[in-house]
Structure formats: structure tokens, C-alpha cells
Amino acid sequence: DAGVIQSPRHEVTEMGQEVTLRCKPISGHNSLFWYRQTMMRGLELLIYFNNNVPIDDSGMPEDRFSAKMPNASFSTLKIQPSEPRDSAVYFCASSLEDRRNQPQHFGDGTRLSIL
Amino acid sequence: DAKTTQPTSMDCAEGRAANLPCNHSTISGNEYVYWYRQIHSQGPQYIIHGLKNNETNEMASLIITEDRKSSTLILPHATLRDTAVYYCIVRVHRGSQGNLIFGKGTKLSVKP
């Protein structure tokens, strides 16, 4: 079965540019999560969707960050304008929220470098 | 802040059992214990989870103490490919409160 698919795997861009990260969750999953990982702060949750609706965006660092989930099979995380401190690995995860307490499954991440 | 405490690092000989401890003394009655691992340059991988009973799957076993204040993840026959950072996480069943909060984990090094 296909897992969570993220693109691109690597992104290098100059500061000030817009960056768009993409995620395709596992088919049938109804929850989607965006995380960011840095050496200093470890893995942090940015935003969480359930049934395509943002439920908790308290982890989004600032207004330069936005996330959308237009349908059950696609989500984007956008940074505009990007800054060097946004450099990190960004992970997307999905799960099936039901009574059986299903685990989250992660993609392989997008390694973002802002110069 | 993470609700768990794990050793920073551990070594294990290839072929031997790896026992990774985790303390979660403030765990609530409705919180599950989850274990994930992250191999270098990959996303976190789900291993196992449990509430109060011991659990076993094809990857590992999870032993939870009767008072639920600590647990141990057991990899019965560690291989070099099990070298990774292992995260112990407690979370409630669902909703935004159920989001994973990763601590620093235990870096397990399996040596030949």
C-alpha cells in the first residue's frame, strides 16, 4: 500500500521566495498533520486537519505560514515569504481517527533550505 | 513539553534483545503509550502502542507496568537496521489533544 507521499523531497530557495510543500495522505485516512523538525526544537506539530477542516493551528509559527486541505487526498503547506530560519525538515502524517485509536503514519519529509 | 523521560542513548549488540525504558509517571487514565522510531533521514515510523496490557506485534513488544508509570519497548533480536532514535509518547485517544508530542527520544545504536 502507498504510504504518505510528500513532494518535493528537497527544496532549496532564496529567502523571500514562496515555498509550497505538498502531501498526499494515505487513502481512507481522515486526519492529516504537518510537523517540522529542527536540531534545536526537535519534532513540532504545526497544524492538524480532521475531515479536511483545520482543527488546531496553534503550532503555526506566524502568518507567513499557511496550510490548506482542499480535499481528502491533498494538502499544502505554504511559506510566504520564506526566511532562513524556516530551514527544516517538514513532515506530513495521516491517520484514521476512529474508536480504535489508530496511529499516525509519516511521509519521508521535505528537506527545506532557505538561503 | 513531552510527558515522558527516556535515556539519551543506549547500545545493543546485534542479535541481542534491546530493552528501551520510558518513564511516564504523570500519565492519565485515558492516555495511551506509543512508540515511534526515526531512522536517519526518514520520517518517524510507528512501532506499537498500548493502554495497560502488554502488547506484541511483528516489530516489538511493549511491557507496561501495572501502575502504568513506566514501560519498556523490547526489540527481541536487534539488527543493525534497528539503529534509530526511539520515541516514547503518551497521548489521548483522539482529537487535537491526541496529537503526538515528541521528546528527544533514545538514540539506540546496534553494534556488530
Side-chain angles (χ1 to χ4, degrees):
Chain A
D1 291 339
V4 175
I5 300 173
Q6 293 186 245
S7 64
R9 289 297 312 276
H10 303 274
E11 175 86 13
V12 180
T13 191
E14 294 185 348
M15 65 177 294
Q17 298 297 308
E18 177 179 294
V19 173
T20 299
L21 312 181
R22 297 172 175 80
C23 176
K24 177 178 169 58
I26 292 173
S27 178
H29 282 188
N30 60 1
S31 292
L32 184 140
F33 307 81
W34 283 101
Y35 291 84
R36 177 173 68 175
Q37 186 173 34
T38 62
M39 289 292 292
M40 291 295 294
R41 301 174 67 89
L43 265 163
E44 304 173 283
L45 177 68
L46 300 178
I47 188 169
Y48 152 56
F49 292 87
N50 183 251
N51 293 321
N52 312 337
V53 176
I55 303 299
D56 182 358
D57 65 355
S58 60
M60 296 285 263
E62 47 195 281
D63 292 345
R64 298 184 296 106
F65 286 69
S66 62
K68 295 182 179 180
M69 192 164 186
N71 57 62
S73 60
F74 184 66
S75 176
T76 60
L77 178 67
K78 188 174 293 187
I79 308 173
Q80 167 63 19
S82 58
E83 296 182 4
R85 60 193 169 119
D86 302 330
S87 297
V89 182
Y90 290 80
F91 290 103
C92 177
S94 71
S95 70
L96 175 63
E97 294 271 346
D98 63 11
R99 290 184 176 184
R100 292 175 296 166
N101 202 24
Q102 301 297 318
Q104 294 179 23
H105 297 271
F106 286 75
D108 282 335
T110 295
R111 185 173 296 274
L112 177 64
S113 297
I114 308 297
L115 306 177
Chain B
D1 293 335
K3 298 181 180 180
T4 62
T5 304
Q6 299 178 253
T8 303
S9 63
M10 292 181 63
D11 290 342
C12 178
E14 187 178 19
R16 303 297 295 270
N19 298 294
L20 291 91
C22 179
N23 288 322
H24 31 79
S25 58
T26 60
I27 192 170
S28 301
N30 62 345
E31 287 183 316
Y32 287 71
V33 180
Y34 278 76
W35 283 84
Y36 281 77
R37 72 180 183 184
Q38 189 172 22
I39 297 170
H40 183 60
S41 298
Q42 296 182 20
Q45 177 189 22
Y46 166 76
I47 301 173
I48 199 167
H49 75 279
L51 183 62
K52 53 184 177 181
N53 296 322
N54 297 338
E55 302 287 344
T56 295
N57 63 20
E58 65 279 5
M59 290 183 68
S61 294
L62 174 60
I63 308 298
I64 302 175
T65 58
E66 193 169 341
D67 63 7
R68 303 210 321 125
K69 293 185 176 182
S70 65
S71 60
T72 300
L73 178 75
I74 301 173
L75 308 178
H77 305 286
T79 71
L80 299 179
R81 287 176 293 182
D82 292 321
T83 293
V85 178
Y86 287 76
Y87 297 97
C88 171
I89 301 163
V90 296
R91 71 181 284 244
V92 297
H93 171 50
R94 60 185 297 169
S96 61
Q97 291 181 334
N99 299 330
L100 299 172
I101 299 176
F102 288 82
K104 296 190 181 301
T106 296
K107 182 175 174 55
L108 175 69
S109 298
V110 181
K111 300 182 183 300

Short mmCIF file of all heavy atoms in Angstrom, two decimals, chain A residues 9 33 35 37 43 45 48 56 91 97-104 106-108 111, chain B residues 32 34 36 38 41-44 46 49 87 91-96 98-100 102:
data_model
loop_
_atom_site.label_atom_id
_atom_site.label_comp_id
_atom_site.label_asym_id
_atom_site.label_seq_id
_atom_site.Cartn_x
_atom_site.Cartn_y
_atom_site.Cartn_z
N ARG A 9 11.05 16.25 -2.24
CA ARG A 9 11.86 15.69 -1.17
C ARG A 9 12.88 16.70 -0.66
O ARG A 9 13.21 16.72 0.52
CB ARG A 9 12.58 14.42 -1.63
CG ARG A 9 11.70 13.22 -1.83
CD ARG A 9 11.01 12.77 -0.52
NE ARG A 9 11.91 12.65 0.60
CZ ARG A 9 12.66 11.58 0.86
NH1 ARG A 9 12.61 10.53 0.06
NH2 ARG A 9 13.44 11.54 1.93
N PHE A 33 -1.67 15.77 9.48
CA PHE A 33 -0.85 16.56 10.38
C PHE A 33 0.39 17.07 9.63
O PHE A 33 0.99 16.34 8.84
CB PHE A 33 -0.36 15.70 11.56
CG PHE A 33 -1.46 14.98 12.29
CD1 PHE A 33 -1.99 13.79 11.79
CD2 PHE A 33 -1.95 15.46 13.49
CE1 PHE A 33 -3.00 13.12 12.46
CE2 PHE A 33 -2.96 14.79 14.17
CZ PHE A 33 -3.48 13.62 13.65
N TYR A 35 4.19 18.53 10.54
CA TYR A 35 5.19 18.69 11.58
C TYR A 35 6.43 19.34 10.98
O TYR A 35 6.69 19.25 9.77
CB TYR A 35 5.61 17.33 12.16
CG TYR A 35 4.59 16.60 12.98
CD1 TYR A 35 3.62 15.79 12.37
CD2 TYR A 35 4.61 16.66 14.38
CE1 TYR A 35 2.69 15.09 13.14
CE2 TYR A 35 3.68 15.96 15.15
CZ TYR A 35 2.73 15.18 14.52
OH TYR A 35 1.82 14.48 15.28
N GLN A 37 10.73 19.59 11.85
CA GLN A 37 11.81 19.05 12.67
C GLN A 37 13.08 19.85 12.45
O GLN A 37 13.55 20.00 11.32
CB GLN A 37 12.06 17.57 12.36
CG GLN A 37 13.09 16.93 13.29
CD GLN A 37 13.20 15.43 13.08
OE1 GLN A 37 13.06 14.92 11.97
NE2 GLN A 37 13.43 14.69 14.16
N LEU A 43 10.89 17.61 16.84
CA LEU A 43 9.67 17.50 16.03
C LEU A 43 8.54 18.29 16.68
O LEU A 43 8.20 18.06 17.83
CB LEU A 43 9.25 16.04 15.94
CG LEU A 43 9.69 15.26 14.72
CD1 LEU A 43 9.58 13.78 14.95
CD2 LEU A 43 8.86 15.65 13.50
N LEU A 45 4.50 19.85 16.10
CA LEU A 45 3.27 19.87 15.32
C LEU A 45 2.95 21.31 14.90
O LEU A 45 2.96 22.22 15.72
CB LEU A 45 2.11 19.32 16.14
CG LEU A 45 0.75 19.35 15.45
CD1 LEU A 45 0.71 18.37 14.29
CD2 LEU A 45 -0.37 19.05 16.44
N TYR A 48 -3.17 20.61 12.34
CA TYR A 48 -3.85 19.32 12.30
C TYR A 48 -5.22 19.52 11.66
O TYR A 48 -5.95 20.43 12.03
CB TYR A 48 -3.96 18.82 13.74
CG TYR A 48 -5.10 17.90 14.11
CD1 TYR A 48 -5.31 16.72 13.42
CD2 TYR A 48 -5.94 18.21 15.17
CE1 TYR A 48 -6.34 15.87 13.78
CE2 TYR A 48 -6.98 17.37 15.54
CZ TYR A 48 -7.17 16.19 14.84
OH TYR A 48 -8.19 15.36 15.19
N ASP A 56 -6.56 22.45 14.72
CA ASP A 56 -5.63 23.07 15.66
C ASP A 56 -4.45 23.60 14.87
O ASP A 56 -3.67 22.83 14.32
CB ASP A 56 -5.17 22.04 16.70
CG ASP A 56 -4.23 22.65 17.74
OD1 ASP A 56 -3.90 23.84 17.65
OD2 ASP A 56 -3.83 21.90 18.66
N PHE A 91 7.45 17.32 7.86
CA PHE A 91 6.80 16.02 7.71
C PHE A 91 5.30 16.18 7.67
O PHE A 91 4.73 16.99 8.39
CB PHE A 91 7.17 15.09 8.87
CG PHE A 91 8.59 14.63 8.88
CD1 PHE A 91 9.52 15.19 9.74
CD2 PHE A 91 9.01 13.61 8.01
CE1 PHE A 91 10.83 14.76 9.76
CE2 PHE A 91 10.32 13.18 8.02
CZ PHE A 91 11.23 13.75 8.89
N GLU A 97 -8.94 8.56 12.33
CA GLU A 97 -9.47 8.82 13.67
C GLU A 97 -10.78 8.07 13.81
O GLU A 97 -11.78 8.44 13.22
CB GLU A 97 -9.69 10.32 13.86
CG GLU A 97 -8.43 11.14 13.85
CD GLU A 97 -7.80 11.29 15.22
OE1 GLU A 97 -8.48 10.99 16.22
OE2 GLU A 97 -6.63 11.71 15.30
N ASP A 98 -10.71 7.00 14.58
CA ASP A 98 -11.93 6.27 14.89
C ASP A 98 -11.81 5.73 16.30
O ASP A 98 -10.92 6.09 17.04
CB ASP A 98 -12.18 5.16 13.86
CG ASP A 98 -11.07 4.10 13.89
OD1 ASP A 98 -10.23 4.10 14.81
OD2 ASP A 98 -11.05 3.27 12.96
N ARG A 99 -12.69 4.86 16.69
CA ARG A 99 -12.69 4.38 18.06
C ARG A 99 -11.49 3.51 18.39
O ARG A 99 -11.21 3.24 19.54
CB ARG A 99 -13.97 3.59 18.32
CG ARG A 99 -15.21 4.46 18.33
CD ARG A 99 -16.43 3.64 18.69
NE ARG A 99 -17.62 4.48 18.81
CZ ARG A 99 -18.80 4.02 19.19
NH1 ARG A 99 -18.95 2.75 19.47
NH2 ARG A 99 -19.83 4.84 19.27
N ARG A 100 -10.79 3.06 17.35
CA ARG A 100 -9.73 2.10 17.61
C ARG A 100 -8.37 2.76 17.82
O ARG A 100 -7.37 2.08 17.90
CB ARG A 100 -9.65 1.09 16.46
CG ARG A 100 -10.86 0.17 16.40
CD ARG A 100 -10.77 -0.72 15.17
NE ARG A 100 -10.81 0.05 13.95
CZ ARG A 100 -10.47 -0.44 12.76
NH1 ARG A 100 -10.06 -1.68 12.66
NH2 ARG A 100 -10.54 0.32 11.70
N ASN A 101 -8.32 4.08 17.91
CA ASN A 101 -7.07 4.75 18.27
C ASN A 101 -5.95 4.39 17.31
O ASN A 101 -4.92 3.85 17.69
CB ASN A 101 -6.69 4.36 19.70
CG ASN A 101 -5.75 5.37 20.32
OD1 ASN A 101 -5.74 6.52 19.93
ND2 ASN A 101 -4.98 4.95 21.28
N GLN A 102 -6.16 4.68 16.04
CA GLN A 102 -5.18 4.34 15.03
C GLN A 102 -3.96 5.25 15.08
O GLN A 102 -4.06 6.43 15.41
CB GLN A 102 -5.83 4.47 13.63
CG GLN A 102 -7.05 3.60 13.43
CD GLN A 102 -6.72 2.13 13.52
OE1 GLN A 102 -5.71 1.68 13.00
NE2 GLN A 102 -7.56 1.37 14.19
N PRO A 103 -2.77 4.72 14.78
CA PRO A 103 -1.55 5.54 14.84
C PRO A 103 -1.42 6.45 13.63
O PRO A 103 -2.07 6.26 12.60
CB PRO A 103 -0.45 4.48 14.84
CG PRO A 103 -1.03 3.33 14.07
CD PRO A 103 -2.49 3.31 14.43
N GLN A 104 -0.55 7.42 13.78
CA GLN A 104 -0.21 8.30 12.66
C GLN A 104 0.91 7.67 11.83
O GLN A 104 1.83 7.07 12.38
CB GLN A 104 0.26 9.66 13.18
CG GLN A 104 -0.83 10.45 13.88
CD GLN A 104 -0.34 11.77 14.41
OE1 GLN A 104 0.66 12.33 13.93
NE2 GLN A 104 -1.02 12.30 15.41
N PHE A 106 3.76 8.56 8.90
CA PHE A 106 4.50 9.71 8.40
C PHE A 106 5.05 9.48 7.00
O PHE A 106 5.41 8.36 6.63
CB PHE A 106 5.69 10.01 9.32
CG PHE A 106 5.31 10.64 10.62
CD1 PHE A 106 4.71 9.90 11.63
CD2 PHE A 106 5.55 11.99 10.85
CE1 PHE A 106 4.35 10.48 12.83
CE2 PHE A 106 5.19 12.58 12.05
CZ PHE A 106 4.60 11.82 13.05
N GLY A 107 5.14 10.58 6.24
CA GLY A 107 5.89 10.57 5.00
C GLY A 107 7.38 10.71 5.27
O GLY A 107 7.80 10.82 6.43
N ASP A 108 8.16 10.73 4.23
CA ASP A 108 9.61 10.83 4.37
C ASP A 108 10.10 12.27 4.45
O ASP A 108 11.31 12.50 4.55
CB ASP A 108 10.32 10.09 3.24
CG ASP A 108 10.32 8.58 3.47
OD1 ASP A 108 10.23 8.16 4.65
OD2 ASP A 108 10.39 7.82 2.49
N ARG A 111 12.97 18.24 2.88
CA ARG A 111 14.10 18.95 3.49
C ARG A 111 14.20 20.32 2.84
O ARG A 111 14.52 20.43 1.66
CB ARG A 111 15.39 18.16 3.29
CG ARG A 111 16.60 18.76 4.01
CD ARG A 111 17.80 17.82 3.91
NE ARG A 111 17.55 16.57 4.60
CZ ARG A 111 17.74 16.36 5.90
NH1 ARG A 111 18.21 17.33 6.66
NH2 ARG A 111 17.49 15.17 6.43
N TYR B 32 -2.74 6.68 26.09
CA TYR B 32 -2.06 5.51 25.59
C TYR B 32 -0.56 5.77 25.54
O TYR B 32 -0.11 6.91 25.43
CB TYR B 32 -2.53 5.18 24.17
CG TYR B 32 -3.92 4.59 24.10
CD1 TYR B 32 -5.05 5.38 24.35
CD2 TYR B 32 -4.12 3.26 23.74
CE1 TYR B 32 -6.32 4.84 24.27
CE2 TYR B 32 -5.39 2.72 23.65
CZ TYR B 32 -6.48 3.51 23.92
OH TYR B 32 -7.74 2.98 23.83
N TYR B 34 2.62 5.25 23.20
CA TYR B 34 3.00 4.98 21.82
C TYR B 34 4.52 4.96 21.70
O TYR B 34 5.22 5.70 22.39
CB TYR B 34 2.49 6.09 20.89
CG TYR B 34 1.06 5.95 20.47
CD1 TYR B 34 0.02 6.26 21.34
CD2 TYR B 34 0.74 5.54 19.18
CE1 TYR B 34 -1.29 6.14 20.94
CE2 TYR B 34 -0.58 5.43 18.77
CZ TYR B 34 -1.58 5.71 19.65
OH TYR B 34 -2.89 5.59 19.26
N TYR B 36 7.43 5.26 18.60
CA TYR B 36 7.83 5.50 17.22
C TYR B 36 9.35 5.44 17.16
O TYR B 36 10.03 5.60 18.17
CB TYR B 36 7.39 6.90 16.75
CG TYR B 36 5.94 7.01 16.36
CD1 TYR B 36 4.94 7.08 17.32
CD2 TYR B 36 5.57 7.05 15.02
CE1 TYR B 36 3.60 7.19 16.96
CE2 TYR B 36 4.23 7.17 14.65
CZ TYR B 36 3.26 7.22 15.63
OH TYR B 36 1.95 7.32 15.26
N GLN B 38 12.75 6.77 14.48
CA GLN B 38 13.14 7.54 13.31
C GLN B 38 14.55 7.14 12.91
O GLN B 38 15.50 7.38 13.65
CB GLN B 38 13.05 9.04 13.59
CG GLN B 38 13.24 9.88 12.35
CD GLN B 38 12.97 11.36 12.59
OE1 GLN B 38 13.02 11.84 13.72
NE2 GLN B 38 12.68 12.09 11.52
N SER B 41 17.23 10.36 8.28
CA SER B 41 16.73 10.88 7.01
C SER B 41 15.37 10.33 6.60
O SER B 41 14.95 10.52 5.46
CB SER B 41 17.72 10.64 5.86
OG SER B 41 18.92 11.29 6.11
N GLN B 42 14.71 9.65 7.51
CA GLN B 42 13.37 9.15 7.20
C GLN B 42 12.35 9.75 8.16
O GLN B 42 12.71 10.34 9.18
CB GLN B 42 13.33 7.62 7.31
CG GLN B 42 14.21 6.90 6.30
CD GLN B 42 14.09 5.40 6.44
OE1 GLN B 42 13.13 4.87 7.00
NE2 GLN B 42 15.08 4.69 5.91
N GLY B 43 11.07 9.58 7.82
CA GLY B 43 10.02 10.03 8.72
C GLY B 43 9.86 9.07 9.89
O GLY B 43 10.26 7.91 9.82
N PRO B 44 9.27 9.54 10.99
CA PRO B 44 9.03 8.64 12.12
C PRO B 44 8.18 7.45 11.70
O PRO B 44 7.25 7.58 10.89
CB PRO B 44 8.28 9.53 13.12
CG PRO B 44 8.72 10.92 12.79
CD PRO B 44 8.89 10.93 11.30
N TYR B 46 5.82 4.27 13.04
CA TYR B 46 5.05 3.71 14.15
C TYR B 46 5.55 2.30 14.46
O TYR B 46 5.81 1.50 13.56
CB TYR B 46 3.57 3.68 13.78
CG TYR B 46 2.72 2.82 14.69
CD1 TYR B 46 2.37 3.27 15.96
CD2 TYR B 46 2.30 1.56 14.29
CE1 TYR B 46 1.60 2.48 16.80
CE2 TYR B 46 1.52 0.76 15.13
CZ TYR B 46 1.18 1.23 16.38
OH TYR B 46 0.43 0.44 17.20
N HIS B 49 1.66 0.43 20.24
CA HIS B 49 1.06 1.23 21.29
C HIS B 49 0.23 0.34 22.20
O HIS B 49 -0.14 -0.78 21.83
CB HIS B 49 0.23 2.39 20.73
CG HIS B 49 -1.10 1.98 20.15
ND1 HIS B 49 -1.23 1.47 18.88
CD2 HIS B 49 -2.35 2.05 20.66
CE1 HIS B 49 -2.50 1.23 18.62
NE2 HIS B 49 -3.22 1.57 19.68
N TYR B 87 11.22 7.03 20.14
CA TYR B 87 10.43 7.99 20.89
C TYR B 87 9.28 7.27 21.62
O TYR B 87 8.53 6.51 21.01
CB TYR B 87 9.80 9.03 19.95
CG TYR B 87 10.78 9.90 19.21
CD1 TYR B 87 11.16 9.60 17.90
CD2 TYR B 87 11.32 11.03 19.81
CE1 TYR B 87 12.05 10.40 17.22
CE2 TYR B 87 12.22 11.84 19.13
CZ TYR B 87 12.57 11.52 17.83
OH TYR B 87 13.44 12.33 17.16
N ARG B 91 -0.44 9.81 24.68
CA ARG B 91 -1.46 10.64 24.06
C ARG B 91 -2.84 10.09 24.36
O ARG B 91 -3.02 8.89 24.58
CB ARG B 91 -1.26 10.72 22.55
CG ARG B 91 -1.57 9.45 21.80
CD ARG B 91 -1.34 9.61 20.31
NE ARG B 91 -2.38 10.37 19.65
CZ ARG B 91 -3.19 9.88 18.71
NH1 ARG B 91 -3.09 8.62 18.33
NH2 ARG B 91 -4.09 10.63 18.13
N VAL B 92 -3.82 10.98 24.32
CA VAL B 92 -5.19 10.54 24.50
C VAL B 92 -5.68 9.94 23.18
O VAL B 92 -4.99 9.95 22.18
CB VAL B 92 -6.10 11.70 24.95
CG1 VAL B 92 -5.66 12.20 26.30
CG2 VAL B 92 -6.09 12.82 23.93
N HIS B 93 -6.90 9.50 23.21
CA HIS B 93 -7.42 8.71 22.10
C HIS B 93 -7.58 9.49 20.81
O HIS B 93 -7.13 9.08 19.76
CB HIS B 93 -8.75 8.10 22.52
CG HIS B 93 -9.49 7.45 21.40
ND1 HIS B 93 -8.90 6.53 20.55
CD2 HIS B 93 -10.75 7.57 20.96
CE1 HIS B 93 -9.79 6.12 19.67
NE2 HIS B 93 -10.91 6.74 19.88
N ARG B 94 -8.19 10.66 20.85
CA ARG B 94 -8.48 11.35 19.59
C ARG B 94 -8.65 12.83 19.82
O ARG B 94 -8.65 13.30 20.92
CB ARG B 94 -9.73 10.76 18.95
CG ARG B 94 -10.97 10.87 19.83
CD ARG B 94 -12.15 10.16 19.21
NE ARG B 94 -12.52 10.76 17.95
CZ ARG B 94 -13.39 10.20 17.11
NH1 ARG B 94 -13.92 9.03 17.38
NH2 ARG B 94 -13.71 10.78 15.98
N GLY B 95 -8.80 13.53 18.72
CA GLY B 95 -8.95 14.97 18.80
C GLY B 95 -7.60 15.65 18.88
O GLY B 95 -6.56 15.00 18.87
N SER B 96 -7.60 16.97 18.94
CA SER B 96 -6.33 17.69 18.94
C SER B 96 -5.51 17.36 20.16
O SER B 96 -4.29 17.46 20.15
CB SER B 96 -6.58 19.19 18.86
OG SER B 96 -7.34 19.64 19.97
N GLY B 98 -4.96 14.61 21.08
CA GLY B 98 -4.30 13.34 20.77
C GLY B 98 -3.11 13.50 19.86
O GLY B 98 -2.59 12.52 19.39
N ASN B 99 -2.70 14.73 19.59
CA ASN B 99 -1.55 14.92 18.73
C ASN B 99 -0.28 14.45 19.42
O ASN B 99 -0.15 14.50 20.64
CB ASN B 99 -1.41 16.39 18.36
CG ASN B 99 -2.62 16.88 17.60
OD1 ASN B 99 -3.26 16.11 16.91
ND2 ASN B 99 -2.95 18.15 17.76
N LEU B 100 0.64 13.98 18.61
CA LEU B 100 1.88 13.44 19.14
C LEU B 100 2.82 14.57 19.57
O LEU B 100 3.05 15.50 18.82
CB LEU B 100 2.57 12.58 18.09
CG LEU B 100 1.79 11.36 17.61
CD1 LEU B 100 2.50 10.71 16.45
CD2 LEU B 100 1.60 10.37 18.75
N PHE B 102 6.58 14.89 20.54
CA PHE B 102 7.84 14.16 20.55
C PHE B 102 8.82 14.82 21.50
O PHE B 102 9.03 16.01 21.45
CB PHE B 102 8.43 14.14 19.14
CG PHE B 102 7.72 13.24 18.17
CD1 PHE B 102 6.57 13.67 17.53
CD2 PHE B 102 8.19 11.97 17.90
CE1 PHE B 102 5.90 12.85 16.64
CE2 PHE B 102 7.54 11.14 17.01
CZ PHE B 102 6.40 11.58 16.37
#
